[in-house]
Amino acid sequence: MNEPKRIPLICSPTPCHRLNRLSDRWGIDLWIKRDDLTGFALGGNKGRKLEYLMADVVASGADIVVSCGSTQSNFVRQLGAACSILGVRCAACVMDLPYEEAFGKPNHIRLHEDGANFLADRILGIEMNKVPDGPWGSLFESTEELAKRYEMEGLKVYRIPIGGSSPLGAYGFVAAAREIDQPFDLIVTASSSGSTHAGLAYALTGTPTKVIGISCDPELDLYDTLAELCAGLDVLTGESKNLTKTDFDLRFDWVGEGYGVTNTKALKAIGLLAREEGVFLDPIYSGKAFAGLVGLAETGQLKGSVLFWHTGGVPTLFALPSEAVNKASSS
């Protein structure tokens, strides 16, 4: 397998430990992989992607990196930190709540826009370009316009897609799978822009371990995204796994109203893991993913040894409105 260049950013391997109380509760052997404890820029899985993405940024000789996301993007925060370490300018185009046009703009419990990750972004000195809420396509168009403006100023721009979801970003989780030092029947993780799910599924193809992605977005074309990322991994690694859409297990039952908003199931899952095991989740990704795990466990669909891959994102807890915190604490 070809090995892309890497710049170390995170503390790895991240801890992996058993959740004893919940294992007893559901009659399974439940463990958690703590990518909330990467030790980089308030933690989270994005640091794994950035180790490979930033190596390519440096090799390209770029003056500035341009990406995009929601105002509370975990990726933008960690991208800004990585750029700071390496002396590269960082700019991001953000919306408070981008959405898929076919599903409309969600109206349920929204995050406060000004604190948490957005505060960290300003501390890091990221050049933030905030645009009005709209469909994802509008955000991507605004991001490209921003990149072109920097190019017109004579800067060399490196474009990184949302969430760092490229084959190079996904490779961070091909490498992460090597940290699994014991057999698991199943891994459950959040799936959104796709590179975490794709990387793990790619690495574990042909092994007894299956990966379930709990989708945080309602779009069914996420299956296509996963297949495209794995096709890119074939090119990057020199392998020929040839994964197709049918090779991925992606569940949409816990999305709620859509991307970027939490829901009651996620809030109950956050409260459950905090009170039973002292571990905090975020309301947009890992909270929904753990809600999926709870739903599968309580309906008897989980057997044997199960690993929950905690993707981080905990700063967004501090963007929750009080009504959401009350739901989590009373669940």
Side-chain angles (χ1 to χ4, degrees):
M1 176 187 289
N2 298 329
E3 184 80 20
K5 291 182 179 179
R6 168 178 169 263
I7 293 176
L9 294 173
I10 71 169
C11 301
S12 61
T14 54
C16 183
H17 61 87
R18 192 172 190 269
L19 298 176
N20 294 323
R21 286 167 60 85
L22 291 178
S23 292
D24 292 343
R25 181 185 185 123
W26 293 318
I28 59 176
D29 188 21
L30 180 61
W31 292 65
I32 186 168
K33 180 67 168 162
R34 300 292 302 275
D35 271 8
D36 57 320
L37 301 177
T38 58
F40 173 70
L42 302 177
N45 67 326
K46 312 299 187 183
R48 293 189 183 276
K49 307 176 188 184
L50 286 163
E51 292 191 323
Y52 295 94
L53 290 166
M54 293 308 297
D56 199 48
V57 169
V58 171
S60 75
D63 301 302
I64 187 168
V65 174
V66 175
S67 190
C68 63
S70 71
T71 304
Q72 286 297 337
S73 168
N74 296 301
F75 179 72
V76 169
R77 162 178 44 91
Q78 293 182 76
L79 173 62
C83 287
S84 294
I85 290 171
L86 297 169
V88 180
R89 287 171 64 183
C90 180
C93 192
V94 299
M95 285 180 176
D96 289 340
L97 190 59
Y99 55 89
E100 182 64 30
E101 194 165 16
F103 293 91
K105 186 175 180 178
N107 293 310
H108 198 47
I109 302 169
R110 293 180 55 175
L111 301 176
H112 294 306
E113 291 86 15
D114 196 45
N117 281 321
F118 193 58
L119 176 61
D121 295 339
R122 299 202 301 276
I123 292 171
L124 286 163
I126 300 171
E127 298 170 35
M128 304 295 286
N129 186 61
K130 193 172 182 181
V131 296
D133 287 355
W136 285 108
S138 177
L139 176 61
F140 299 151
E141 289 171 7
S142 296
T143 305
E144 181 58 24
E145 290 170 5
L146 180 64
K148 288 179 177 177
R149 288 205 299 270
Y150 283 116
E151 287 176 332
M152 290 178 65
E153 295 174 10
L155 297 175
K156 185 172 183 179
V157 176
Y158 189 104
R159 294 162 172 82
I160 293 184
I162 189 164
S165 282
S166 67
L168 198 56
Y171 188 83
F173 276 85
V174 175
R178 300 171 194 156
E179 295 179 15
I180 303 171
D181 59 2
Q182 64 189 81
F184 288 100
D185 298 304
L186 186 66
I187 293 176
V188 178
T189 191
S191 190
S192 182
S193 56
S195 46
T196 300
H197 185 180
L200 290 173
Y202 188 88
L204 295 166
T205 294
T207 75
T209 305
K210 306 303 179 185
V211 180
I212 293 180
I214 306 298
S215 183
C216 304
D217 300 79
E219 303 96 80
L220 290 175
D221 62 4
L222 292 176
Y223 281 107
D224 296 301
T225 300
L226 293 169
E228 289 164 6
L229 286 168
C230 288
L233 284 169
D234 273 345
V235 174
L236 187 64
T237 63
E239 298 195 15
S240 298
K241 297 195 176 184
N242 300 315
L243 300 184
T244 67
K245 293 190 290 184
T246 59
D247 292 310
F248 303 100
D249 191 338
L250 185 60
R251 311 291 179 96
F252 291 87
D253 298 326
W254 295 274
V255 171
E257 286 194 59
Y259 173 81
V261 295
T262 192
N263 57 58
T264 300
K265 290 179 180 178
L267 293 171
K268 287 181 178 294
I270 290 169
L272 175 66
L273 188 61
R275 290 193 309 276
E276 294 294 314
E277 303 285 358
V279 177
F280 289 95
L281 300 167
D282 87 281
I284 304 303
Y285 300 103
S286 57
K288 289 183 179 182
F290 200 74
L293 186 149
V294 171
L296 294 171
E298 292 187 343
T299 54
Q301 298 180 64
L302 298 183
K303 307 291 184 183
S305 58
V306 179
L307 177 66
F308 178 72
W309 201 294
H310 189 337
T311 52
V314 174
T316 52
L317 271 178
F318 303 103
L320 278 174
S322 58
E323 60 175 304
V325 175
N326 291 339
K327 285 186 178 182
S329 61
S330 63
S331 60

